[in-house]
Amino acid sequence: MPLSSTDQDRLAKLLAMFSSSHDGEVANAARMAEKLVKARGETWETVIKNGYHHQPSPPPPPKPRQPAQPTKTQDWKFAVYNCMSWKMHLSNWENEFLASLFDRPRSDPLTPKQQATLNKIIAKIDTLKGMNW
């Protein structure tokens, strides 16, 4: 029985690791590929004879994201502080914008344009969080 497309994708990734310049990675990839084939009740001969043709699965459609809005317990100043911890992933302009807001008194509300810009940065960070850095 041919491997499922999920198993084929995994096997293709493992086989690609055979080109690593690190012998330990190559050996580990070979062990993991062997384990995958045996766990599915297959042999290398049947995998090859069944015409293993790797066709990657299309990526799932992106989930629509709503920009995170600061809640009543998380005011804009707190949101700015949290965003600043992602500075290495933000542009110079975004970092300067956040720094200018951070220096602003908490009692001085943001303009609608500033709030919209802050929301865009929060949405960008939410996307980055989903990337499992």
Side-chain angles (χ1 to χ4, degrees):
M1 179 168 111
L3 296 175
S4 70
S5 70
T6 302
D7 287 340
Q8 289 178 8
D9 290 344
R10 178 143 174 84
L11 184 58
K13 289 176 184 174
L14 290 169
L15 295 176
M17 293 175 69
F18 287 6
S19 63
S20 172
S21 60
H22 301 284
D23 293 341
E25 286 181 5
V26 174
N28 191 43
R31 282 187 201 100
M32 291 173 70
E34 175 70 10
K35 185 177 178 180
L36 182 136
V37 169
K38 284 193 175 197
R40 301 308 181 262
E42 298 285 342
T43 66
W44 284 106
E45 182 179 0
T46 59
V47 168
I48 293 168
K49 285 185 176 179
N50 283 333
Y52 168 72
H53 298 289
H54 175 67
Q55 294 181 339
S57 307
K63 295 178 183 175
R65 289 184 175 260
Q66 290 288 79
Q69 302 286 332
T71 63
K72 290 178 184 175
T73 58
Q74 178 186 355
D75 65 357
W76 66 264
K77 189 84 164 186
F78 186 71
V80 168
Y81 177 78
N82 285 333
C83 289
M84 292 176 82
S85 67
W86 286 81
K87 71 186 233 175
M88 64 188 270
H89 298 288
L90 301 176
S91 71
N92 286 339
W93 186 91
E94 290 166 327
N95 283 314
E96 289 172 10
F97 174 77
L98 292 171
S100 73
L101 293 184
F102 190 74
D103 292 337
R104 185 184 184 113
R106 177 170 281 152
S107 60
D108 190 5
L110 299 181
T111 67
K113 187 174 180 180
Q114 289 170 324
Q115 185 64 57
T117 302
L118 178 58
N119 289 344
K120 286 179 186 176
I121 294 171
I122 292 169
K124 178 178 179 177
I125 292 169
D126 285 345
T127 301
L128 292 170
K129 287 178 181 176
M131 298 174 85
N132 295 322
W133 290 97

